[in-house]
Amino acid sequence: MSAALSSSLARFWRAPAVQALYIQACMFPVTLLIVYALARQFGPLSYLAVALVQGVLAMGMTWLRGLASWWRPIQFAFPLCLVVVDAYDLPPSLFLTAFLGLVLVYWSTYRTQVPYYPSGAAVWEAVLAELPPGPCRVIDIGSGLGGVSLFLAARRPDAEVWGVELAPLPWAVGAVRARLAGSRARMLRGDYEQLHFGDFDLVFAYLSPAAMPALYDKARAEMRPGSQLFSYEFAVPGHPATRILNVGKRKPLLHGWKF
C-alpha cells in the first residue's frame, strides 16, 4: 500500500462520522444479545424497544471513544429515526434524493468537520479594511457561494482575489456568480490544504472549531512575515489572536494573527 493511500485511509478512519457509523455497527451484535436475553425473560420486544437498546449502547460507546459531546444524542436518536422512517414506509427515492443533495452541498464535511457557514457583509467590510495597500493576494478558504471573494474583488481592483471551495454545489454557484458578474475573482474547487499559504498576503477563513488547530499550524509554517490570517468567530486554542475585531453588535468576533 502506498504512503499516500495509507494516509488517505487513516484520515478517512479518523473522521468522526465514520467512527460514529462504526460504533453503531459494532453495537448491533451486542444489542441482539441483550434483546435475546430480555425476550427470554419478558417475551418479544417491539422494534422501538430494540432501537432504544441500540441507541443507549451506541451513545455510551461514543462517550467512551471520546467523540464530541453532540455525537451522543445523534447516536441515541439514529436507531429511533430508523424505526420512525420504517413506520411511515417512505419511498427509497426520497432518501436517495436527500442524500445526493446533502453530498453536493456538504461533500467531505464528514472528514473536515467544516459545514457551510455564511459570514455576512459586516465581516466582508472588516476583511476589506485589513487588506494591505497596493497590489496583494488574498484567499477565502471554504469560500462557499463566493460572497467574500466577489466583494473583495469588486472593492479592490488592485488585489488578486481567490476563493477555494471543496463542495461541488457551492463552488459551482460561486463560479457562476463570478462569471455573470464579470468578476476577476478566481473560484477554485479543491482542498485548501493543497495550497501554499505563502502565496498570499491575507488568508480569510470561516470554518469550524475542529479545523482551527491544523489551519493555524499550516499558516504559521507557510505564511510570509507580515502576512495575516483572519478567522471569523473561531479562535485557536493556545494561540491568542494578535488582533480581535468587533464587526457588529451580537456578532461573533474576527480573530487575526500576523506572522
Side-chain angles (χ1 to χ4, degrees):
M1 182 182 296
S2 68
L5 179 58
S6 178
S7 177
S8 297
L9 290 175
R11 290 178 62 190
F12 177 80
W13 169 244
R14 287 195 301 267
V18 175
Q19 293 190 44
L21 183 60
Y22 179 74
I23 288 171
Q24 289 283 354
C26 289
M27 289 299 100
F28 185 65
V30 182
T31 296
L32 292 181
L33 290 174
I34 293 175
V35 168
Y36 176 74
L38 291 174
R40 292 194 63 182
Q41 184 71 25
F42 302 106
L45 275 67
S46 67
Y47 286 136
L48 179 59
V50 176
L52 285 171
V53 173
Q54 173 74 11
V56 169
L57 290 174
M59 182 174 62
M61 184 56 66
T62 298
W63 172 70
L64 290 175
R65 287 283 297 175
L67 269 66
S69 59
W70 59 77
W71 278 106
R72 298 170 203 167
I74 293 175
Q75 291 286 71
F76 176 75
F78 179 74
L80 298 176
C81 290
L82 293 181
V83 172
V84 172
V85 167
D86 181 68
Y88 282 95
D89 195 24
L90 299 175
S93 58
L94 178 64
F95 298 100
L96 177 61
T97 301
F99 173 75
L100 292 177
L102 291 172
V103 166
L104 289 173
V105 173
Y106 294 103
W107 200 243
S108 60
T109 296
Y110 77 92
R111 173 177 60 83
T112 63
Q113 303 182 69
V114 180
Y116 171 62
Y117 286 135
S119 49
V123 182
W124 307 348
E125 290 282 3
V127 175
L128 174 66
E130 296 302 318
L131 292 184
C136 60
R137 304 184 82 193
V138 56
I139 186 167
D140 173 21
I141 59 176
S143 55
L145 305 181
V148 178
S149 302
L150 297 177
F151 176 84
L152 296 178
R155 295 295 188 91
R156 281 290 301 269
D158 59 337
E160 184 178 337
V161 182
W162 296 43
V164 58
E165 173 60 51
L166 191 57
L169 186 57
W171 165 80
V173 172
V176 170
R177 290 181 65 194
R179 181 174 291 274
L180 292 177
S183 174
R184 298 175 300 100
R186 299 183 60 183
M187 310 303 296
L188 305 178
R189 182 176 176 268
D191 190 340
Y192 70 82
E193 294 180 0
Q194 305 304 316
L195 301 176
H196 196 282
F197 284 178
D199 296 332
F200 302 97
D201 300 289
L202 186 146
V203 175
F204 171 73
Y206 188 18
L207 302 178
S208 77
M212 291 310 300
L215 173 66
Y216 180 82
D217 289 343
K218 177 177 175 63
R220 184 173 59 178
E222 298 178 357
M223 295 187 75
R224 301 187 306 271
S227 57
Q228 298 184 90
L229 167 68
F230 280 94
S231 168
Y232 183 48
E233 185 170 354
F234 305 118
V236 181
H239 299 282
T242 53
R243 297 191 63 196
I244 298 179
L245 306 177
N246 191 334
V247 300
K249 292 182 179 180
R250 294 185 296 276
K251 288 184 175 292
L253 299 173
L254 182 63
H255 304 266
W257 295 265
K258 191 168 186 178
F259 297 97

